[in-house]
Each structure stands twice: as C-alpha cells, then as structure tokens.
C-alpha cells in the first residue's frame, strides 16, 4: 500500500509518503525514510509525528485507513485529530479477548469476527463512547457463541 501527500508549509512544498511492504511500514519525508511499528498486535495502528518548520504533521494509520493531520486537522475530511494514545485501554483489551478467544473457541471465522469488531472498538474508543465499546464487545461475544453453537449443531447433525 502506498499513500502520498504533497503539503505546502510556509511556502515550501514537502512530500509525505506512507509505504508498506515486506520490510514493514515506512514513512518518507522529502525522500528520507523512517521505519515505523504498529502500537497494537492485532490491528495496524500508527501515529507518527513529523514537524516541519514549526508545523506538526501526523501520519495516522488504523487498519488500512491512512490519513494525514496537519496542525490537528485531518486533510480531506476536516475532522479534528485525536491521538491514538487517548484510546481507552479497554478497547485494546476487548480486541485481544475477541480475537484470541474467538480463535480458540471457533477457529478462523471467529478470529475474523473478532478483528472486524475490533475496528469498531477502536473507532468508538477514539470517539470516547465507552458504553458503546462494551455493547459492541457483548454483541461480538454473542455472535461468536452463536457461531460455535451452530457449528456444534451441524457436527451432531452430520454425525461427525
């Protein structure tokens, strides 16, 4: 994946680039490469600061969504920047439980269900909606349990 932004700071053009590949994720600022790592084991989460002439730029990656914030405003959408470190720890805990518990209990499909709900936990956590994070975790748990019950029922029906 590759995403490029051309930013004008104090009358000078700068190029910010985000690249992923076999060597991991990189952020290039005017051709200078910086290797970055995710803040989460399950979902790619990167919040990398770049300061150019007193202007703060942040490359923010959540999953496959890559955005650039300039002075606290996301380019393109105009939404205010929210630091990833402000995400409640509960979102990460629920993400780990949903993925690991789902994989152990129901295999790959439950792991994928946990990852999909994990994106929701992170989105809601960054918006500060803790009750919604808890409700989404409960919904994910119910979906995963129903899937496991359905698989057990199918196996009994088939005599496996």
């Amino acid at each position: 994946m590759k995403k490029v932004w051309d930013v004008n700071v104090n009358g000078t053009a700068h190029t910010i680039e985000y690249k992923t590949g076999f060597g991991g994720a990189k952020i290039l600022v005017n051709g200078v490469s910086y290797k970055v790592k995710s803040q989460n084991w399950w979902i790619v989460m990167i919040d990398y600061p770049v300061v150019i002439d007193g202007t703060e730029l942040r490359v923010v990656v959540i999953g496959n969504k890559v955005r650039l914030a300039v002075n606290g405003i996301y380019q393109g959408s105009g939404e205010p920047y929210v630091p990833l470190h402000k995400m409640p720890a509960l979102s990460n805990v629920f993400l780990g439980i949903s993925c690991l518990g789902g994989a152990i209990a129901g295999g790959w499909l439950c792991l994928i269900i946990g990852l999909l709900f994990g994106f929701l936990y992170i989105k809601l956590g960054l918006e500060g909606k803790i009750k919604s994070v808890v409700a989404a975790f409960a919904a994910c748990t119910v979906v995963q349990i129903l899937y496991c019950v359905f698989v057990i029922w199918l196996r009994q029906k088939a005599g496996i």
Side-chain angles (χ1 to χ4, degrees), residues 3-4 11 19 21 27 47 60 70 85 89 93 99 111 116 120 127 136 149 152 154:
K3 182 86 174 186
V4 179
K19 290 169 116 179
I27 293 176
D47 188 352
V60 180
V70 178
H85 72 271
V93 170
C99 292
L111 172 65
L116 292 175
L120 185 60
E127 293 173 1
V149 168
I152 291 169
L154 278 179

Side-chain angles (χ1 to χ4, degrees), residues 63-131:
N64 287 333
K65 188 174 186 179
V66 183
R67 302 193 300 176
L68 179 71
V70 178
N71 287 331
I73 303 294
Y74 284 114
Q75 298 301 296
S77 68
E79 296 174 8
Y81 161 75
V82 179
L84 290 183
H85 72 271
K86 293 215 175 189
M87 184 179 62
L90 192 62
S91 296
N92 279 326
V93 170
F94 284 166
L95 175 62
I97 292 170
S98 294
C99 292
L100 193 58
I104 291 170
W108 287 105
L109 188 59
C110 280
L111 172 65
I112 292 169
I113 291 169
L115 280 172
L116 292 175
F117 270 91
F119 284 112
L120 185 60
Y121 304 156
I122 290 168
K123 180 181 179 292
L124 294 172
L126 286 173
E127 293 173 1
K129 299 177 180 177
I130 302 301
K131 289 182 181 179

